[in-house]
Amino acid sequence: MLMTKLSTVALSKLSPKIRIPQYDRTNLRQHIVHLGVGGFHRAHQAVYLDDLLALPDTERWAECGVGVLPADARMRDALASQDHLYTLVERSADTATARVIGSMTGFILAPEAREAALEKLAAADTRIVSLTITEGGYFIDEATGAFLENHPDIQRDLLNPIAPITSIGLIAEALDRRRLRNLPPFTVMSCDNLQHNGHVIRKVLLGFTALSNPTLRQWIAHHVAFPNCMVDRITPATTPADIAFVSENFGIDDAWPVVTEPFLQWVVEDTFSAGRPAWERVGVQFTPDVAPYEIMKMRLLNGSHLAMAYLGALHGYTRVHEIMQDPVFARFITAFMDQVTPVVPVIPDTSIPNYKRTLIERFANPTINDQVTRICSEGSAKIPKWLLPSITELLDAGAPMDLLALVVASWIFYFTRFTDERGQPLDIIDARAPELTRLASQSVTDPSPFLALESIFGAALPANLHFVQTVTDALDQLSTTGVIATLQHYLTIS
């Protein structure tokens, strides 16, 4: 197939089967600045905006990306080489469709152009600043939720407020410039996979400015909106195979396409400082309370990811769909969801059984090739959010939680092993890996060194003898009989 390098002038040369922006991109206004442009943002928020721009009679909102880290230079260069256009491929088990997204019209790499980034944020045209900066970008203690004001990067920004290196410092300085210029504030909208993400970014920003500029803190507290939102779309990192797939199947030479699933969801609290796009026209759900949707997703989708992650990795699986093709694992994930369901909130017009069936279909999609390593990564940060709250509430209700305790045990066991059951090395990615590996070496079948980590497990769960014994039994079962026999045992007794 003849390949076409993606660019504005090349759009007309692409196959008519490929949806392209039909709107005038030169007539757009960069009312949104997004910090942390990765695959997920380009498969999610940018797509909703592109959908909206395709409709008649809508405001001409566009976005400018900002890279906060030096490593973001790769994204800057890739997008700049193709007029900030990129290919989005949606793949189901049976079909693959491609479209070109045009809602991003600029990109600034803050480490190389810090003043330009600050002025873009502070510009009167900027009405929303959105973020996908991962959990680590918020500088929050995982166990207590406290702002990590002593973190070296935060301390560096407190000493150098006009040349910040963190997203928090960038937002604070930009808001201060707007305050001093008598400009209204922009909305700060976290789109990261954090429960109460709007509350989290507000807490962090107020904590930072309380130390750096109390007057600014008061202004932010009274005038800036921080909507909570729930985002959902499985989007693995782009691989060389994905780039080749786009080239071979659609004839597009794209430096950094995005391959994702057809499913897409965004639930947003409708509170904004300076207006917003009419996203409800393209399927965004606006609600006064996002929390039930967040809990449903975290406990069922994210919790199930953890349920398959460490057990799947230990058994030797490298892709999520491979796990779901194993009938024992498929039964286990279904049983895990059923055990969690009693602590999933009831949401009007939402069928939990249908949601669970949809999740099973999404996990089993063989074309996404979601890596098990990706969902295993940073478990020390994920488990306190996605698994432990469910365990706590099930214990309080006197309900079974043995399958969830098995997941905790599988995470602990993961750190005792250097290879999977097929003899392949395990790739452990966790900011606390050295500490956790050291603890695991103390005893293969005793979870107490891990459970004593109050920064992960808090104080109440390790004091619950039933929880400790259930995790201990699961860890012993894993180390004695292996993954599949353990799963079969738990499926028999649950």
Side-chain angles (χ1 to χ4, degrees):
M1 179 180 290
L2 182 65
M3 279 200 300
T4 301
K5 173 59 183 174
L6 186 59
S7 68
T8 302
V9 296
L11 290 176
S12 61
K13 302 175 185 178
L14 300 181
S15 166
K17 296 181 180 180
I18 299 169
R19 175 178 162 185
I20 62 173
Q22 298 292 344
Y23 48 87
D24 181 4
R25 296 178 76 229
T26 65
N27 193 35
L28 304 181
R29 304 283 292 275
Q30 292 176 347
H31 290 316
I32 301 174
V33 178
H34 185 81
L35 307 182
V37 179
F40 179 77
H41 172 73
R42 295 190 298 140
H44 193 272
Q45 299 99 51
V47 173
Y48 278 109
L49 191 56
D50 187 75
D51 285 342
L52 187 59
L53 288 168
L55 300 180
D57 305 320
T58 59
E59 284 189 83
R60 302 287 88 190
W61 289 63
E63 63 178 18
C64 177
V66 170
V68 179
L69 304 174
D72 293 328
R74 287 185 57 229
M75 182 65 73
R76 185 265 319 267
D77 295 343
L79 291 174
S81 73
Q82 48 204 44
D83 300 325
H84 301 97
L85 299 165
Y86 62 91
T87 312
L88 179 89
V89 175
E90 294 182 0
R91 299 187 71 179
S92 68
D94 305 312
T95 62
T97 61
R99 61 186 282 192
V100 176
I101 305 298
S103 52
M104 183 177 296
T105 58
F107 191 103
I108 300 170
L109 184 64
E112 295 181 7
R114 206 164 307 280
E115 185 62 22
L118 285 167
E119 282 301 302
K120 170 56 71 173
L121 290 163
D125 251 4
T126 299
R127 296 162 70 176
I128 296 173
V129 172
S130 53
L131 308 90
T132 47
I133 56 176
T134 74
E135 292 93 334
Y138 292 84
F139 302 97
I140 287 287
D141 183 279
E142 299 294 346
T144 66
F147 173 49
L148 297 174
E149 61 183 59
N150 292 321
H151 190 284
D153 290 349
I154 293 297
Q155 286 297 310
R156 191 263 180 212
D157 279 3
L158 289 171
L159 294 173
N160 301 275
I162 63 172
I165 62 172
T166 69
S167 298
I168 307 305
L170 285 166
I171 293 170
E173 173 62 17
L175 284 170
D176 198 34
R177 294 185 184 193
R178 293 176 76 112
R179 179 183 68 87
L180 294 171
R181 296 169 188 174
N182 292 317
L183 292 173
F186 47 71
T187 295
V188 180
M189 183 172 68
S190 168
C191 296
D192 278 298
N193 193 27
L194 299 169
Q195 192 170 3
H196 311 308
N197 49 17
H199 294 161
V200 170
I201 184 61
R202 184 180 191 272
K203 178 179 183 176
V204 169
L205 198 58
L206 292 180
F208 180 87
T209 52
L211 299 170
S212 64
N213 189 335
T215 301
L216 174 61
R217 183 199 180 282
Q218 288 298 108
W219 187 80
I220 291 172
H222 286 96
H223 299 291
V224 179
F226 298 87
N228 292 299
C229 73
M230 187 273 275
V231 296
D232 191 5
R233 191 171 219 186
I234 297 173
T235 308
T238 301
T239 65
D242 294 327
I243 295 172
F245 180 86
V246 170
S247 172
E248 294 164 5
N249 290 272
F250 301 105
I252 303 175
D253 177 6
D254 188 330
W256 206 324
V258 183
V259 178
T260 189
E261 62 173 340
F263 183 90
L264 182 64
Q265 187 178 23
W266 194 7
V267 183
V268 185
E269 183 182 9
D270 200 358
T271 174
F272 289 78
S273 306
R276 62 167 177 79
W279 279 312
E280 66 273 14
R281 296 184 63 188
V282 290
V284 177
Q285 298 167 259
F286 284 96
T287 177
D289 185 10
V290 175
Y293 297 90
E294 292 176 326
I295 295 171
M296 178 183 70
K297 183 206 170 190
M298 289 186 176
R299 296 190 177 181
L300 290 173
L301 187 153
N302 300 127
S304 295
H305 262 161
L306 293 177
M308 68 179 74
Y310 305 105
L311 290 161
L314 287 164
H315 189 54
Y317 288 127
T318 61
R319 296 289 187 272
V320 170
H321 71 271
E322 295 171 346
I323 294 174
M324 298 307 295
Q325 288 171 350
D326 185 319
V328 177
F329 269 96
R331 286 173 55 213
F332 172 69
I333 296 303
T334 298
F336 174 90
M337 289 186 187
D338 290 344
Q339 193 164 90
V340 171
T341 298
V343 292
V344 173
V346 175
I347 303 173
D349 301 320
T350 299
S351 167
I352 298 301
N354 287 344
Y355 183 75
K356 291 192 289 187
R357 281 192 291 271
T358 298
L359 288 179
I360 294 295
E361 292 172 4
R362 294 169 66 192
F363 295 152
N365 185 342
T367 65
I368 295 301
N369 285 312
D370 198 4
Q371 296 181 346
V372 174
T373 300
R374 180 185 77 85
I375 58 176
C376 284
S377 67
E378 305 301 341
S380 62
K382 294 173 179 176
I383 282 176
K385 301 183 185 74
W386 299 348
L387 190 65
L388 301 186
S390 296
I391 292 176
T392 298
E393 292 185 24
L394 288 169
L395 285 169
D396 290 344
M401 54 84 210
D402 55 308
L403 301 186
L404 285 73
L406 171 59
V407 177
V408 174
S410 72
W411 175 69
I412 296 171
F413 194 54
Y414 183 70
F415 285 94
T416 72
R417 309 283 294 184
F418 296 99
T419 60
D420 61 31
E421 292 178 343
R422 305 180 191 190
Q424 297 302 308
L426 289 170
D427 188 11
I428 296 177
I429 302 171
D430 196 295
R432 300 179 67 168
E435 172 192 14
L436 298 173
T437 303
R438 176 179 56 80
L439 291 176
S441 69
Q442 296 177 10
S443 176
V444 173
T445 58
D446 180 9
S448 58
F450 275 78
L451 300 183
L453 291 169
E454 193 167 332
S455 59
I456 295 176
F457 289 95
L461 278 177
N464 186 302
L465 297 181
H466 177 52
F467 168 71
V468 173
Q469 188 60 53
T470 307
V471 174
T472 302
D473 291 344
L475 189 57
D476 180 67
Q477 184 82 27
L478 271 174
S479 62
T480 303
T481 67
V483 171
I484 294 299
T486 296
L487 292 180
Q488 291 172 329
H489 168 74
Y490 275 84
L491 287 169
T492 299
I493 65 174
S494 294

